[in-house]
Amino acid sequence: MPPPAPQPGVIPLRPLTTGEMLGGAFATLRRYWKPLIGVMAAVQGIGILLVAAAAVISVAAAYARFSAVFDLAPGESPEGSDVAALLLAFVPLGVVLILATTVGAAMFSALCPALVQEAVLGRATTVGAMWRRGWSRLPSVLGTVMLAGLIAGGPALLLYAICVPLIVVSADLDGSGPPAVFLLLLLGSLLCIPFSVWIMVRFSLAPAAAVCEGLGPVAALRRSSRLVRDGWWRVFGISLLGYIVAMAVGYAIQTPFGFVGMFALLPSLPEPDGDFSDIGTLIFGITVYAVTVLVGVVVSSLFQFSFPQLVIALLYVDQRMRKEDLAPTLVAAAFPAQEPAPAPVSPPTMLE
């Protein structure tokens, strides 16, 4: 019987089973929750501040238009120019929101492989070290995420670019309802889904390759494609299981917060006759409910964002151990050979 594989960190250094990868992701969360939550909270906080600043600027720029659009006499309609100006004022807010969400997701995708690198070897790390590591690899990871999304969604975008104008033109010409192009668009969209899923799984290990091997976006996509080759269904199944576990555990985390908020709200509900006993109690109950639900959403989202990425990062390590015999290299990194101590030097004697 062969001896058990060494395990300096969260996983044994050999090809892994599905349970060992899920267990390794949970163990990484337990051991490294401080740097993980610290960096993720910092990213979310920066994103919220940027979006809030953009919202304040948009509201200030469109403040004069609100009364012209919403404060109207009965039966009066707003001017089209006022509606257009109001919508245009909030375009920057939408752009900032999209950018903050995209960059935040890329930062999470860079953070989890960097954390798994340390967790596999059992090395300690800090919030600052993980922030620097994730930030340094953010451009490459962001490139891989955007390129993979563009390749996966390219056929659907091309289909929409061709079919939507045809639908509009056909509807304007005969007004007879959904034209045949609409059915073609629906059928084409359904056919694009398998291709998009195949591409996203094929490139799912690219962020880990970009972080752990220091590759650029294109090289990381090629690297992921090579690692996933001949193992697509395994990568797909374990990744999907990671997302399902994350959703289930996230719901279990969020549910108690919802119950606490409901119990706080119960005393402030109206009497059977429909009257409120105390408006202050009602405001307090609503506030407690909103705060508890918000805290539950934040805590559960931290788990739901991080756990699948940790599983995928461990999949990257597992595929390299299976295909490239990475385990001996990891063992050597985890247990470096100790250099022999130098021979003691005798102190000089009085005769020297």
Side-chain angles (χ1 to χ4, degrees):
M1 182 176 179
Q7 184 172 340
V10 295
I11 57 171
L13 299 183
R14 55 166 173 72
L16 305 172
T17 64
T18 301
E20 287 171 338
M21 273 183 276
L22 296 178
F26 278 112
T28 303
L29 285 171
R30 288 195 305 269
R31 298 185 189 183
Y32 298 90
W33 64 271
K34 289 182 179 180
L36 181 66
I37 292 179
V39 175
M40 293 182 73
V43 171
Q44 287 186 331
I46 293 173
I48 291 172
L49 289 177
L50 291 175
V51 172
V56 171
I57 294 173
S58 296
V59 171
Y63 184 77
R65 302 283 183 175
F66 279 100
S67 58
V69 174
F70 299 106
D71 190 13
L72 301 174
E76 187 178 357
S77 299
E79 297 290 336
S81 59
D82 292 328
V83 175
L86 186 62
L87 293 176
L88 287 175
F90 283 90
V91 169
L93 173 60
V95 172
V96 172
L97 180 61
I98 293 174
L99 289 176
T101 303
T102 304
V103 174
M107 187 66 177
F108 295 159
S109 299
L111 169 65
C112 290
L115 198 61
V116 164
Q117 261 192 312
E118 308 302 321
V120 166
L121 300 177
R123 297 188 299 212
T125 187
T126 62
V127 175
M130 287 297 96
W131 174 269
R132 290 189 296 270
R133 185 73 190 284
W135 182 258
S136 67
R137 301 308 304 161
L138 178 61
S140 294
V141 174
L142 184 60
T144 63
V145 171
M146 296 183 68
L147 281 177
L150 184 61
I151 296 172
L157 292 176
L158 181 61
L159 181 67
Y160 273 77
I162 295 173
C163 292
V164 170
L166 293 177
I167 292 174
V168 174
V169 171
S170 301
D172 290 339
L173 289 178
D174 53 27
S176 58
V181 184
F182 179 81
L183 299 179
L184 177 62
L185 176 63
L186 180 60
L187 179 61
S189 300
L190 293 176
L191 293 176
C192 287
I193 292 176
F195 172 78
S196 299
V197 172
W198 181 78
I199 286 292
M200 294 306 294
V201 174
R202 190 87 174 183
F203 293 153
S204 61
L205 305 184
V211 173
C212 298
E213 301 181 46
L215 301 177
V218 176
L221 293 178
R222 291 174 178 170
R223 181 76 166 126
S224 175
S225 181
R226 288 194 297 269
L227 290 173
V228 175
R229 187 182 300 135
D230 300 328
W232 189 93
W233 282 107
R234 184 171 183 273
V235 174
F236 170 74
I238 295 175
S239 301
L240 180 61
L241 183 59
Y243 280 103
I244 292 174
V245 171
M247 288 189 293
V249 176
Y251 179 78
I253 293 173
Q254 191 173 347
T255 300
F257 290 93
F259 280 129
V260 171
M262 289 179 60
F263 284 127
L265 190 60
L266 284 176
S268 61
L269 293 178
E271 301 292 338
D273 56 2
D275 294 332
F276 292 100
S277 58
D278 186 2
I279 190 65
T281 304
L282 174 63
I283 294 174
F284 175 78
I286 293 175
T287 302
V288 173
Y289 177 77
V291 170
T292 52
V293 170
L294 180 61
V295 171
V297 169
V298 171
V299 174
S300 63
S301 65
L302 289 174
F303 181 86
Q304 289 172 332
F305 285 146
S306 61
F307 185 80
Q309 295 300 324
L310 293 174
V311 172
I312 292 173
L314 288 171
L315 259 172
Y316 163 81
V317 176
D318 174 67
Q319 288 297 105
R320 289 197 62 186
M321 288 194 292
R322 290 175 181 273
K323 292 193 168 189
E324 301 172 354
D325 197 23
L326 181 65
T329 304
L330 294 177
V331 172
F335 306 104
Q338 295 183 355
E339 298 182 0
V345 179
S346 300
T349 64
M350 296 295 293
L351 299 176
E352 295 177 342

